mmCIF file of all heavy atoms in Angstrom:
data_model
loop_
_atom_site.group_PDB
_atom_site.id
_atom_site.type_symbol
_atom_site.label_atom_id
_atom_site.label_comp_id
_atom_site.label_asym_id
_atom_site.label_seq_id
_atom_site.Cartn_x
_atom_site.Cartn_y
_atom_site.Cartn_z
ATOM 1 N N PRO A 522 -42.552 19.565 -19.092
ATOM 2 C CA PRO A 522 -41.663 18.443 -19.371
ATOM 3 C C PRO A 522 -40.740 18.694 -20.556
ATOM 4 O O PRO A 522 -39.612 18.241 -20.559
ATOM 5 C CB PRO A 522 -42.628 17.283 -19.659
ATOM 6 C CG PRO A 522 -43.911 17.929 -20.024
ATOM 7 C CD PRO A 522 -43.954 19.256 -19.351
ATOM 8 N N VAL A 523 -41.181 19.438 -21.561
ATOM 9 C CA VAL A 523 -40.363 19.629 -22.756
ATOM 10 C C VAL A 523 -39.089 20.396 -22.445
ATOM 11 O O VAL A 523 -38.013 20.063 -22.924
ATOM 12 C CB VAL A 523 -41.155 20.397 -23.841
ATOM 13 C CG1 VAL A 523 -40.529 20.148 -25.200
ATOM 14 C CG2 VAL A 523 -42.622 19.985 -23.813
ATOM 15 N N SER A 524 -39.258 21.424 -21.626
ATOM 16 C CA SER A 524 -38.096 22.278 -21.366
ATOM 17 C C SER A 524 -37.493 22.031 -19.992
ATOM 18 O O SER A 524 -36.915 22.917 -19.401
ATOM 19 C CB SER A 524 -38.514 23.745 -21.483
ATOM 20 O OG SER A 524 -39.604 23.978 -20.608
ATOM 21 N N PHE A 525 -37.647 20.826 -19.501
ATOM 22 C CA PHE A 525 -37.137 20.528 -18.169
ATOM 23 C C PHE A 525 -35.618 20.394 -18.187
ATOM 24 O O PHE A 525 -35.055 19.327 -18.279
ATOM 25 C CB PHE A 525 -37.775 19.230 -17.653
ATOM 26 C CG PHE A 525 -37.731 19.093 -16.162
ATOM 27 C CD1 PHE A 525 -38.476 19.925 -15.330
ATOM 28 C CD2 PHE A 525 -36.920 18.124 -15.576
ATOM 29 C CE1 PHE A 525 -38.416 19.803 -13.958
ATOM 30 C CE2 PHE A 525 -36.870 17.988 -14.200
ATOM 31 C CZ PHE A 525 -37.619 18.828 -13.382
ATOM 32 N N GLU A 526 -34.973 21.540 -18.105
ATOM 33 C CA GLU A 526 -33.514 21.550 -18.165
ATOM 34 C C GLU A 526 -32.948 22.388 -17.037
ATOM 35 O O GLU A 526 -33.580 23.331 -16.567
ATOM 36 C CB GLU A 526 -33.041 22.157 -19.493
ATOM 37 C CG GLU A 526 -33.220 21.202 -20.665
ATOM 38 C CD GLU A 526 -32.858 21.880 -21.969
ATOM 39 O OE1 GLU A 526 -32.102 22.883 -21.924
ATOM 40 O OE2 GLU A 526 -33.341 21.422 -23.019
ATOM 41 N N ALA A 527 -31.750 22.046 -16.637
ATOM 42 C CA ALA A 527 -31.117 22.723 -15.515
ATOM 43 C C ALA A 527 -31.063 24.233 -15.711
ATOM 44 O O ALA A 527 -31.376 25.000 -14.815
ATOM 45 C CB ALA A 527 -29.710 22.167 -15.304
ATOM 46 N N GLU A 528 -30.714 24.662 -16.930
ATOM 47 C CA GLU A 528 -30.547 26.100 -17.170
ATOM 48 C C GLU A 528 -31.877 26.846 -17.089
ATOM 49 O O GLU A 528 -31.924 28.043 -16.867
ATOM 50 C CB GLU A 528 -29.921 26.364 -18.550
ATOM 51 C CG GLU A 528 -28.622 25.642 -18.816
ATOM 52 C CD GLU A 528 -28.846 24.175 -19.163
ATOM 53 O OE1 GLU A 528 -29.375 23.919 -20.250
ATOM 54 O OE2 GLU A 528 -28.516 23.312 -18.339
ATOM 55 N N GLU A 529 -32.957 26.138 -17.326
ATOM 56 C CA GLU A 529 -34.253 26.804 -17.309
ATOM 57 C C GLU A 529 -34.898 26.777 -15.944
ATOM 58 O O GLU A 529 -35.800 27.551 -15.649
ATOM 59 C CB GLU A 529 -35.182 26.143 -18.323
ATOM 60 C CG GLU A 529 -34.542 26.109 -19.698
ATOM 61 C CD GLU A 529 -35.565 25.923 -20.788
ATOM 62 O OE1 GLU A 529 -36.763 26.044 -20.510
ATOM 63 O OE2 GLU A 529 -35.128 25.657 -21.930
ATOM 64 N N LEU A 530 -34.461 25.851 -15.122
ATOM 65 C CA LEU A 530 -35.047 25.704 -13.794
ATOM 66 C C LEU A 530 -34.527 26.761 -12.818
ATOM 67 O O LEU A 530 -35.268 27.296 -12.000
ATOM 68 C CB LEU A 530 -34.666 24.322 -13.245
ATOM 69 C CG LEU A 530 -35.684 23.190 -13.130
ATOM 70 C CD1 LEU A 530 -36.988 23.471 -13.862
ATOM 71 C CD2 LEU A 530 -35.077 21.868 -13.535
ATOM 72 N N GLU A 531 -33.250 27.049 -12.963
ATOM 73 C CA GLU A 531 -32.609 27.893 -11.969
ATOM 74 C C GLU A 531 -33.142 29.332 -11.897
ATOM 75 O O GLU A 531 -33.484 29.800 -10.792
ATOM 76 C CB GLU A 531 -31.091 27.894 -12.182
ATOM 77 C CG GLU A 531 -30.358 28.624 -11.069
ATOM 78 C CD GLU A 531 -28.867 28.358 -11.055
ATOM 79 O OE1 GLU A 531 -28.410 27.458 -11.788
ATOM 80 O OE2 GLU A 531 -28.163 29.040 -10.301
ATOM 81 N N PRO A 532 -33.233 30.069 -13.025
ATOM 82 C CA PRO A 532 -33.665 31.481 -12.922
ATOM 83 C C PRO A 532 -35.032 31.671 -12.265
ATOM 84 O O PRO A 532 -35.151 32.516 -11.356
ATOM 85 C CB PRO A 532 -33.666 31.935 -14.388
ATOM 86 C CG PRO A 532 -32.732 30.998 -15.078
ATOM 87 C CD PRO A 532 -32.894 29.686 -14.395
ATOM 88 N N PRO A 533 -36.061 30.926 -12.667
ATOM 89 C CA PRO A 533 -37.362 31.154 -12.022
ATOM 90 C C PRO A 533 -37.344 30.829 -10.523
ATOM 91 O O PRO A 533 -38.009 31.509 -9.730
ATOM 92 C CB PRO A 533 -38.319 30.226 -12.776
ATOM 93 C CG PRO A 533 -37.453 29.264 -13.504
ATOM 94 C CD PRO A 533 -36.173 29.938 -13.771
ATOM 95 N N LEU A 534 -36.572 29.836 -10.140
ATOM 96 C CA LEU A 534 -36.524 29.472 -8.723
ATOM 97 C C LEU A 534 -35.777 30.545 -7.911
ATOM 98 O O LEU A 534 -36.119 30.843 -6.777
ATOM 99 C CB LEU A 534 -35.848 28.105 -8.557
ATOM 100 C CG LEU A 534 -36.703 26.863 -8.214
ATOM 101 C CD1 LEU A 534 -38.203 27.114 -8.178
ATOM 102 C CD2 LEU A 534 -36.378 25.697 -9.106
ATOM 103 N N ARG A 535 -34.766 31.097 -8.535
ATOM 104 C CA ARG A 535 -34.060 32.184 -7.870
ATOM 105 C C ARG A 535 -34.998 33.396 -7.721
ATOM 106 O O ARG A 535 -35.007 34.070 -6.688
ATOM 107 C CB ARG A 535 -32.831 32.608 -8.686
ATOM 108 C CG ARG A 535 -31.630 31.708 -8.444
ATOM 109 C CD ARG A 535 -30.366 32.295 -9.070
ATOM 110 N NE ARG A 535 -29.279 31.339 -8.929
ATOM 111 C CZ ARG A 535 -28.533 31.233 -7.850
ATOM 112 N NH1 ARG A 535 -28.757 32.040 -6.813
ATOM 113 N NH2 ARG A 535 -27.585 30.342 -7.771
ATOM 114 N N ALA A 536 -35.740 33.641 -8.755
ATOM 115 C CA ALA A 536 -36.684 34.762 -8.732
ATOM 116 C C ALA A 536 -37.705 34.555 -7.619
ATOM 117 O O ALA A 536 -38.071 35.488 -6.897
ATOM 118 C CB ALA A 536 -37.378 34.883 -10.081
ATOM 119 N N LEU A 537 -38.117 33.310 -7.468
ATOM 120 C CA LEU A 537 -39.090 32.978 -6.429
ATOM 121 C C LEU A 537 -38.528 33.312 -5.037
ATOM 122 O O LEU A 537 -39.209 33.914 -4.200
ATOM 123 C CB LEU A 537 -39.446 31.488 -6.495
ATOM 124 C CG LEU A 537 -40.351 30.959 -5.397
ATOM 125 C CD1 LEU A 537 -41.753 31.566 -5.510
ATOM 126 C CD2 LEU A 537 -40.440 29.437 -5.444
ATOM 127 N N ALA A 538 -37.289 32.934 -4.830
ATOM 128 C CA ALA A 538 -36.662 33.210 -3.538
ATOM 129 C C ALA A 538 -36.584 34.709 -3.290
ATOM 130 O O ALA A 538 -36.892 35.194 -2.198
ATOM 131 C CB ALA A 538 -35.261 32.594 -3.498
ATOM 132 N N GLU A 539 -36.215 35.417 -4.315
ATOM 133 C CA GLU A 539 -36.070 36.865 -4.189
ATOM 134 C C GLU A 539 -37.406 37.515 -3.851
ATOM 135 O O GLU A 539 -37.507 38.372 -2.970
ATOM 136 C CB GLU A 539 -35.536 37.430 -5.506
ATOM 137 C CG GLU A 539 -34.927 38.802 -5.359
ATOM 138 C CD GLU A 539 -34.238 39.257 -6.641
ATOM 139 O OE1 GLU A 539 -33.792 38.371 -7.422
ATOM 140 O OE2 GLU A 539 -34.170 40.473 -6.865
ATOM 141 N N GLU A 540 -38.401 37.068 -4.525
ATOM 142 C CA GLU A 540 -39.761 37.580 -4.335
ATOM 143 C C GLU A 540 -40.217 37.472 -2.888
ATOM 144 O O GLU A 540 -40.882 38.351 -2.346
ATOM 145 C CB GLU A 540 -40.683 36.769 -5.263
ATOM 146 C CG GLU A 540 -42.137 37.148 -5.248
ATOM 147 C CD GLU A 540 -42.944 36.141 -6.076
ATOM 148 O OE1 GLU A 540 -42.380 35.617 -7.085
ATOM 149 O OE2 GLU A 540 -44.083 35.859 -5.702
ATOM 150 N N HIS A 541 -39.832 36.371 -2.242
ATOM 151 C CA HIS A 541 -40.253 36.162 -0.852
ATOM 152 C C HIS A 541 -39.188 36.584 0.153
ATOM 153 O O HIS A 541 -39.327 36.330 1.338
ATOM 154 C CB HIS A 541 -40.582 34.684 -0.618
ATOM 155 C CG HIS A 541 -41.816 34.246 -1.339
ATOM 156 N ND1 HIS A 541 -43.065 34.272 -0.768
ATOM 157 C CD2 HIS A 541 -42.006 33.782 -2.614
ATOM 158 C CE1 HIS A 541 -43.953 33.829 -1.646
ATOM 159 N NE2 HIS A 541 -43.336 33.535 -2.772
ATOM 160 N N ALA A 542 -38.089 37.134 -0.365
ATOM 161 C CA ALA A 542 -36.957 37.510 0.485
ATOM 162 C C ALA A 542 -36.400 36.300 1.230
ATOM 163 O O ALA A 542 -35.995 36.390 2.384
ATOM 164 C CB ALA A 542 -37.359 38.610 1.480
ATOM 165 N N TRP A 543 -36.412 35.174 0.544
ATOM 166 C CA TRP A 543 -35.799 33.973 1.124
ATOM 167 C C TRP A 543 -34.350 33.879 0.672
ATOM 168 O O TRP A 543 -34.013 34.308 -0.430
ATOM 169 C CB TRP A 543 -36.515 32.699 0.632
ATOM 170 C CG TRP A 543 -37.912 32.520 1.138
ATOM 171 C CD1 TRP A 543 -38.414 32.960 2.328
ATOM 172 C CD2 TRP A 543 -38.985 31.863 0.454
ATOM 173 N NE1 TRP A 543 -39.730 32.602 2.452
ATOM 174 C CE2 TRP A 543 -40.111 31.917 1.314
ATOM 175 C CE3 TRP A 543 -39.107 31.224 -0.781
ATOM 176 C CZ2 TRP A 543 -41.345 31.354 0.964
ATOM 177 C CZ3 TRP A 543 -40.327 30.663 -1.117
ATOM 178 C CH2 TRP A 543 -41.447 30.738 -0.248
#
Side-chain angles (χ1 to χ4, degrees):
Chain A
V523 201
S524 55
F525 201 68
E526 285 175 22
E528 306 78 69
E529 306 200 12
L530 252 12
E531 187 166 350
L534 254 5
R535 278 190 186 276
L537 175 67
E539 199 172 333
E540 181 187 327
H541 291 268
W543 291 330

